């Protein structure tokens, strides 16, 4: 919310009930040009009120509203919505939560509905259109009226195309092309009795309450998920809610963000110094460019060579950063031996992350002394993004942490440097757009991500210098081949995982081999919250396998990972 307040822009609040799609709602809002944030569904009313949203969306979730342990909004939330005339959109569980809280009825379906359905929009009569239009001019939060209907439809209009959307449907559906339109269902419960004042404004063959509305109070509920790409016109529906019903102004863009964030950083940092934890990846590169443009010589970038970087990574990163960010101060610190010594005998992934995170900070603080920069009161730049924040605040119930995040794992409690995270409210695609806005070369902006722990989380088991060298060679061959084939730019992230404890028999020439296996991993994704395995052309896979087995001593078998996220994660550890 801090950046939205600084930019003085409209915002949408999403209350999260644990849906795997919650982050997609945030992304759709931002793609439309309106800033949005995610909060837990049980957020206290003061925090909700202070967010000053133009509208609120209730996400889906894996629970049943009538169960004892089901998550709910705080009781004061419904009074707040009623008093402020706050436009409200409930999606799936969000619809059921709204119905349950407002004295409707939700019951278990005879069978779970999962997949596509045909949504048929109903036409409003003259009285319903009048109610809708009156509600649209009622005072909203901060006294700003919501947007009026674009034009009053002609009730006698005849439609030549029976599948076209009538102008007499609710404003929530304006701009949609087809009626019926294809939507995506994913639910085990359904509304069986509407709350008082609500009516159905769209149906499917299996749901008479697929979309419901309280016309006077501007409250809406959808049984389907408009945020997923499987719903053909879902983004337009969300756009209608945000722009037409909430009356939000689309002013969220990276040009405005860059200007506002640089001003904020100058005020926060003052005369102090910032030490940048640079890796050459898009996040740290964009963060470095932003800081350099904001505070100039007070920012100093440092690349720690842990011995776990990719092939030729250290010198190449330094050269690229200096070339693409003219005037940037950046140095490379060789800490290879320290990291291999610290990781000797360690096999547990979480221990690896903690050790690496702690040693990183020690190296940075040591670097400040070598570079004669003041440690006390200084800042450490981190490339934390909004998906990292979502994973820590999302409503997940009793589920355990999957794994410590790359950027924050292992930071010691008594750190002398204060962490600075200027990108923490951005998604990956927004970071890339910001990089282009700052004038960074496209090759750096669209470079695949590389995790903070480096190759350490791509070597399963104990990490040794020899294993790191073997993996480095295999990884370099893989990236070289997908660049030559043109697949690199179609892939969100690609790398090789070494499986030291998985050995297999092979034949090279006339000799028997008994060596390690490795696994190629490539995923297609736009936000890294979800990802699908990349359908690599067979000829590219064949070349990668042949080259790795023939050129890398120690590997005699290559596999390809076809796991999606979820249920798998992108990285193996």
């Amino acid at each position: 919310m801090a950046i939205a307040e600084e930019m003085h822009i409209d915002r949408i609040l999403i209350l999260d009930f644990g849906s795997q799609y919650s982050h997609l709602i945030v992304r759709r809002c931002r793609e439309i040009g309106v800033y949005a944030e995610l909060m837990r569904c049980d957020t206290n009313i003061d925090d909700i009120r202070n967010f000053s949203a133009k509208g609120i969306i209730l996400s889906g979730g894996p629970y049943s509203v009538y169960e004892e342990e089901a998550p709910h909004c705080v009781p004061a939330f419904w009074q707040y919505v009623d008093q402020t005339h706050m436009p409200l959109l409930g999606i799936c569980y969000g619809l059921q939560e709204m119905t349950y809280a407002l004295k409707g009825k939700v019951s278990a379906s005879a069978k779970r509905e999962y997949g596509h359905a045909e949504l048929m929009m109903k036409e409003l009569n003259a009285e319903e259109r009048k109610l809708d239009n009156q509600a649209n001019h009622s005072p909203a939060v901060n006294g700003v009226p919501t947007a009026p209907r674009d034009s009053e439809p002609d009730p006698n209009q005849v439609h030549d195309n029976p599948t076209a959307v009538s102008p007499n449907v609710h404003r929530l559906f304006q701009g949609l092309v087809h009626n019926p339109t294809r939507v995506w269902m994913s639910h085990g419960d359904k509304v069986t009795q509407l709350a008082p004042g609500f009516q159905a404004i769209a149906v499917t063959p299996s749901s008479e309450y697929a979309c419901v509305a309280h016309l006077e109070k501007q409250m809406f509920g959808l049984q389907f998920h408009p945020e997923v790409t499987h719903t053909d016109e879902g983004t337009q529906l969300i756009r209608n809610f945000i722009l037409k019903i909430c009356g939000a102004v689309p002013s969220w863009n990276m040009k405005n963000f860059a200007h506002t964030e640089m001003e904020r950083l100058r005020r926060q940092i003052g005369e102090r110094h910032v030490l940048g934890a640079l890796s050459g990846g898009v996040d740290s590169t964009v963060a470095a460019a932003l800081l350099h443009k904001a505070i100039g010589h007070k920012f100093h970038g440092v690349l720690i060579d842990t011995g776990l970087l990719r092939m030729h990574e250290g010198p190449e990163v330094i050269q690229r950063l200096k070339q693409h960010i003219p005037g940037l101060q950046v140095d490379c610190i060789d800490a290879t031996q320290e990291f291999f010594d610290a990781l000797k005998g360690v096999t547990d992934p979480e221990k690896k992350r903690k050790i690496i995170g702690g040693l990183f900070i020690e190296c940075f603080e040591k670097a400040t002394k070598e570079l004669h920069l003041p440690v006390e009161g200084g800042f450490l730049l981190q490339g934390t993004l909004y998906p990292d924040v979502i994973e820590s605040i999302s409503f997940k119930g009793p589920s355990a942490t999957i794994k410590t995040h790359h950027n924050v794992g292992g930071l010691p409690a008594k750190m002398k440097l204060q962490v600075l995270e200027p990108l923490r409210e951005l998604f990956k695609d927004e970071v890339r757009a910001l990089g282009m806005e700052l004038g960074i070369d496209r090759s750096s902006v669209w470079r695949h991500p590389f995790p903070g722990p480096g190759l350490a989380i791509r070597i399963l088991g104990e990490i040794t210098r020899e294993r790191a060298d073997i993996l480095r060679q295999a990884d370099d061959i893989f990236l070289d081949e997908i660049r030559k084939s043109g697949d690199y730019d179609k892939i969100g992230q690609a790398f090789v995982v070494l499986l030291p404890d998985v050995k297999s028999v092979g034949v090279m020439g006339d000799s028997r081999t008994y060596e390690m296996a490795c696994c190629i991993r490539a995923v297609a994704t736009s936000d890294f919250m979800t990802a699908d395995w990349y359908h690599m052309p067979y000829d590219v896979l064949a070349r990668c396998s042949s080259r790795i087995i023939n050129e890398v001593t120690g590997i005699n078998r290559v596999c390809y990972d076809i796991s999606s996220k979820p249920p798998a994660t992108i990285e193996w550890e």
Side-chain angles (χ1 to χ4, degrees):
M1 181 176 67
I3 189 62
E5 289 182 337
E6 291 274 349
M7 294 172 68
H8 304 291
I9 58 176
D10 291 340
R11 64 209 74 160
I12 297 294
L13 175 62
I14 292 90
L15 294 182
D16 175 45
F17 290 88
S19 170
Q20 62 177 317
Y21 302 136
S22 294
H23 68 285
L24 291 178
I25 307 173
V26 182
R27 283 178 52 78
R28 296 296 173 257
C29 295
R30 294 193 186 185
E31 287 166 3
I32 291 163
V34 177
Y35 183 78
E37 271 191 30
L38 193 74
M39 290 186 187
R40 288 173 57 100
C41 57
D42 54 359
T43 296
N44 70 72
I45 196 62
D46 288 337
D47 287 344
I48 292 174
R49 182 182 291 107
N50 292 337
F51 189 80
S52 299
K54 293 286 288 184
I56 296 176
I57 299 176
L58 309 181
S59 85
Y63 309 93
S64 294
V65 291
Y66 46 79
E67 292 180 346
E68 186 175 345
E69 299 300 320
H72 298 290
C73 297
V74 294
F77 172 79
W78 300 103
Q79 184 179 6
Y80 168 73
V81 169
D82 186 59
Q83 290 177 344
T84 60
H85 304 278
M86 175 69 69
L88 189 66
L89 176 65
I91 296 175
C92 200
Y93 183 94
L95 158 65
Q96 295 159 16
E97 165 71 357
M98 183 190 308
T99 301
Y100 185 79
L102 299 178
K103 310 306 180 185
K105 187 175 180 181
V106 178
S107 306
S109 302
K111 62 178 181 178
R112 177 178 172 83
E113 187 175 14
Y114 184 83
H116 284 114
E118 294 294 312
L119 181 78
M120 177 64 73
M121 303 156 225
K122 292 184 173 183
E123 293 194 15
L124 302 183
N125 61 37
E127 185 61 30
E128 289 168 339
R129 291 198 304 274
K130 183 179 179 181
L131 277 175
D132 179 38
N133 208 40
Q134 287 175 343
N136 222 32
H137 287 84
S138 63
V141 178
N142 301 325
V144 179
T146 49
R149 181 183 283 271
D150 290 340
S151 61
E152 187 62 24
D154 179 1
N156 300 314
Q157 184 175 348
V158 177
H159 308 294
D160 296 330
N161 183 357
T163 64
V165 178
S166 164
N168 298 317
V169 300
H170 192 276
R171 282 171 302 114
L172 195 63
F173 303 126
Q174 284 185 9
L176 273 65
V177 177
H178 301 291
N179 190 15
T181 187
R182 193 172 66 155
V183 300
W184 184 257
M185 294 285 190
S186 178
H187 63 96
D189 295 331
K190 65 179 182 179
V191 174
T192 52
Q193 180 181 317
L194 291 177
F198 281 80
Q199 66 185 70
I201 58 174
V203 300
T204 68
S206 60
S207 177
E208 60 180 319
Y209 303 132
C211 180
V212 304
H214 193 303
L215 297 180
E216 293 178 277
K217 295 185 177 181
Q218 297 295 274
M219 300 170 69
F220 306 91
L222 308 176
Q223 186 59 77
F224 57 92
H225 288 272
E227 70 274 25
V228 301
T229 55
H230 305 320
T231 294
D232 290 347
E233 301 181 87
T235 299
Q236 180 62 40
L237 195 152
I238 295 173
R239 179 182 285 108
N240 287 344
F241 174 73
I242 293 173
L243 304 185
K244 293 180 180 294
I245 293 168
C246 299
V249 177
S251 52
W252 170 252
N253 59 67
M254 289 304 99
K255 183 176 182 178
N256 292 342
F257 172 86
H259 174 76
T260 304
E261 184 65 7
M262 283 190 287
E263 287 296 323
R264 188 190 70 80
L265 288 168
R266 292 185 188 110
R267 292 196 305 271
Q268 180 181 0
I269 295 164
E271 294 305 312
R272 291 174 286 180
H273 284 77
V274 178
L275 193 63
L278 306 186
S279 66
V282 59
D283 303 337
S284 67
T285 297
V286 172
L290 186 68
L291 263 294
H292 176 66
K293 198 165 184 176
I295 62 173
H297 70 279
K298 288 183 288 185
F299 173 70
H300 203 120
V302 176
L303 172 67
I304 302 294
D305 188 349
T306 63
L308 299 166
L309 301 176
R310 287 173 288 202
M311 187 75 76
H312 311 304
E313 186 89 333
E316 285 182 0
V317 166
I318 297 296
Q319 181 183 2
R320 188 170 64 251
L321 287 170
K322 288 184 175 180
Q323 178 184 348
H324 296 162
I325 311 175
L328 176 69
Q329 301 176 86
V330 58
D331 291 279
C332 183
I333 305 296
D334 185 0
T336 302
Q337 193 60 51
E338 291 97 312
F339 276 85
F340 281 119
D341 288 347
L343 291 166
K344 186 176 181 180
V346 178
T347 59
D348 180 77
E350 280 297 291
K351 286 185 178 179
K352 290 180 186 178
R353 291 172 182 272
K354 295 293 184 183
I355 290 169
I356 291 170
L359 194 51
F360 252 118
I361 299 303
E362 290 180 21
C363 290
F364 278 120
E365 293 185 342
K366 179 181 177 182
T368 59
K369 296 178 181 178
E370 295 177 356
L371 297 168
H372 306 292
L373 297 174
V375 176
E376 298 297 336
F379 292 90
L380 171 65
L381 177 67
Q382 290 259 39
T384 307
L385 303 189
Y386 196 54
D388 314 331
V389 178
I390 286 177
E391 289 178 0
S392 66
I393 66 173
S394 182
F395 187 90
K396 297 295 182 184
S399 61
T401 300
I402 297 171
K403 57 188 177 184
T404 305
H405 186 264
H406 309 318
N407 286 335
V408 297
L411 298 184
K414 296 182 179 179
M415 212 170 65
K416 294 181 179 179
L417 294 167
Q418 183 180 341
V419 173
L420 193 68
E421 300 171 316
L423 308 181
R424 68 176 282 112
E425 295 179 1
L426 303 184
F427 286 98
K428 179 71 75 173
D429 58 325
E430 292 173 324
V431 172
R432 289 192 163 119
L434 176 60
M436 299 299 289
E437 185 66 39
L438 294 171
I440 302 174
D441 186 80
R442 191 181 187 281
S443 62
S444 289
V445 170
W446 288 94
R447 194 165 183 259
H448 288 185
F450 188 65
L455 301 182
I457 57 172
R458 295 175 180 174
I459 299 172
L460 272 60
E462 184 179 4
I463 298 164
T464 66
R465 190 184 295 267
E466 178 188 15
R467 289 176 176 179
D469 288 339
I470 290 172
L471 177 56
R472 221 184 320 271
Q473 293 176 59
D475 192 69
D476 190 57
I477 291 170
F478 179 40
L479 295 179
D480 179 55
E481 286 297 329
I482 62 175
R483 284 192 177 100
K484 289 192 294 189
S485 69
D487 289 283
Y488 184 89
D489 289 339
K490 303 173 186 177
I491 296 170
Q493 193 166 354
F495 53 91
V496 177
V497 178
L498 188 66
L499 311 174
D501 296 328
V502 179
K503 293 188 176 181
S504 64
V505 174
V507 178
M508 299 191 74
D510 294 324
S511 302
R512 174 187 182 275
T513 63
Y514 187 61
E515 294 178 334
M516 291 180 286
C518 74
C519 188
I520 291 173
R521 175 75 157 147
V523 297
T525 180
S526 60
D527 58 9
F528 294 85
M529 294 289 290
T530 59
D532 192 14
W533 63 275
Y534 182 69
H535 294 224
M536 190 79 69
Y538 289 165
D539 60 326
V540 178
L541 285 175
R543 286 196 298 273
C544 292
S545 176
S546 178
R547 283 194 59 192
I548 290 173
I549 291 171
N550 282 288
E551 297 177 30
V552 182
T553 302
I555 294 177
N556 71 350
R557 193 173 296 269
V558 176
C559 307
Y560 190 54
D561 185 345
I562 59 169
S563 309
S564 296
K565 176 187 179 181
T569 55
I570 294 178
E571 297 286 349
W572 277 42
E573 288 194 342

